Amino acid sequence: MSERRIPLSRDVIKAIFLVCIADAIVGLSYGSLAAADGFPLWVPIALSTLVLAGASEFLFIGIVAGGGSPFTAAAAGLLVNARHLPFGIAVRELPGRGWRGLLGCHIMNDESVVFGISQPTREKRIAAYWLCGLGIALIWPLSVVGGALIGQFIPDIKAIGLDAVFPAILIALIFPALRQRRTRIPAGGGALLSLLAVPFVPTGLPVLFSLLGLLAWRDRK
């Protein structure tokens, strides 16, 4: 595509591409786990296209596979996705309105929000948000299906730890931003709060506590 149609630098496009690849690897892991736990193929397909939220999907299959009620699993998934409320406020200008807005809200996730709000101009914020969101919306279901199909050939799926690849890639991508003190202090504070919350709250919720790290910085004039 021409730069006029996607007003983003090559570095940003490359970073979005790498995040989509990382999501694909996690999707393979998720699909494999779902197949290993005995879920029919339509379950991970439906979740990956209609829910489109990896943490909630992992939590759902984990609770149901452990003997929990699907309603309890769905409620837990909604609780984990509560972080989308502040996300929606932060990117309220990016999804658009009408049918476009519905699609724009559906593709809202951690990655598309980060890329969207980190761009310097409104045009670039919209482009980054949509490019990342649509990329993940496409690659996630495809990788989940692939994982479910090949999962039967993996001896011990949980021992491989494919889900660890995604956060590792994200950490590598944010290292340049951590050179700035204004980014490093809130990020470090939020990470510490998340780690402290892990033993006390359900899986997926510690990330909400990381938002409190934003309070660690006040503008100084």
Side-chain angles (χ1 to χ4, degrees):
M1 290 187 180
S2 67
E3 193 162 331
R4 184 177 179 182
R5 296 180 63 184
I6 301 182
L8 299 172
S9 67
R10 286 188 175 182
D11 289 341
V12 173
I13 295 176
K14 180 180 178 180
I16 291 175
F17 174 77
L18 290 175
V19 166
C20 289
I21 295 299
D23 264 20
I25 296 173
V26 179
L28 289 173
S29 174
Y30 167 57
S32 300
L33 288 171
D37 286 333
F39 288 93
L41 184 59
W42 68 266
V43 173
I45 291 178
L47 291 174
S48 61
T49 54
L50 300 178
V51 177
L52 197 58
S56 295
E57 294 174 47
F58 271 104
L59 184 60
F60 182 89
I61 65 171
I63 292 176
V64 175
S69 164
F71 297 102
T72 301
L78 287 174
L79 188 60
V80 169
N81 273 355
R83 67 186 186 278
H84 283 68
L85 294 176
F87 284 175
I89 296 174
V91 300
R92 60 186 181 277
E93 63 173 358
L94 305 184
R97 299 179 181 277
W99 68 267
R100 176 187 171 94
L102 294 175
L103 178 60
C105 290
H106 184 60
I107 64 173
M108 182 175 65
N109 50 55
D110 299 23
E111 300 90 323
S112 61
V113 168
V114 169
F115 279 106
I117 64 178
S118 63
Q119 304 307 308
T121 67
R122 183 176 184 275
E123 183 183 21
K124 290 184 177 181
R125 286 194 292 271
I126 294 175
Y129 176 87
W130 279 89
L131 182 61
C132 183
L134 289 175
I136 292 176
L138 175 64
I139 198 67
W140 178 254
L142 292 177
S143 62
V144 169
V145 172
L149 293 177
I150 67 176
Q152 55 184 323
F153 302 108
I154 301 177
D156 189 356
I157 297 171
K158 295 183 179 180
I160 296 178
L162 289 175
D163 53 330
V165 176
F166 183 50
I169 292 178
L170 283 182
I171 291 174
L173 290 174
I174 67 171
F175 266 134
L178 294 179
R179 295 172 184 171
Q180 301 178 10
R181 186 167 178 264
R182 180 169 183 172
T183 303
R184 187 168 59 250
I185 293 176
L192 178 60
L193 289 171
S194 293
L195 289 174
L196 293 175
V198 168
F200 307 104
V201 299
T203 303
L205 291 186
V207 67
L208 296 178
F209 288 85
S210 67
L211 296 175
L212 297 176
L214 297 174
L215 301 177
W217 180 271
R218 293 181 180 180
D219 288 326
R220 297 179 178 87
K221 296 183 179 181

